[in-house]
Amino acid sequence: MRVLRIQDTCSKIAISRTSLWRLCKQDDFPQPISIGGGRVIGFLEHEIDDWLEARAAARKTTQGRS
């Protein structure tokens, strides 16, 4: 299990830090975990990957309806 720091998460999904925090407020986006005594947070890479795959699958479903 790999933990992605904030910058790595932003790079992986190609968004800004501000946009990342907006996504965190949504129910379907993976929530950060506390590492290093609470001052450091990260995201579980497999949860981010699952979220990306769900978004891609939803896009394919939407495109198929056109």
Side-chain angles (χ1 to χ4, degrees), residues 6-55:
I6 294 170
Q7 189 58 44
D8 296 329
T9 304
C10 290
S11 294
K12 185 174 185 89
I13 59 178
I15 61 171
S16 68
R17 290 173 69 99
T18 301
S19 294
L20 177 63
W21 296 123
R22 282 189 195 124
L23 283 174
C24 286
K25 291 181 181 181
Q26 296 178 5
D27 291 334
D28 68 332
F29 192 77
Q31 295 302 300
I33 61 169
S34 176
I35 53 179
R39 287 191 46 97
V40 179
I41 64 166
F43 294 84
L44 296 176
E45 184 173 35
H46 73 274
E47 290 182 355
I48 299 298
D49 290 340
D50 291 346
W51 180 82
L52 285 169
E53 287 176 19
R55 300 275 299 201

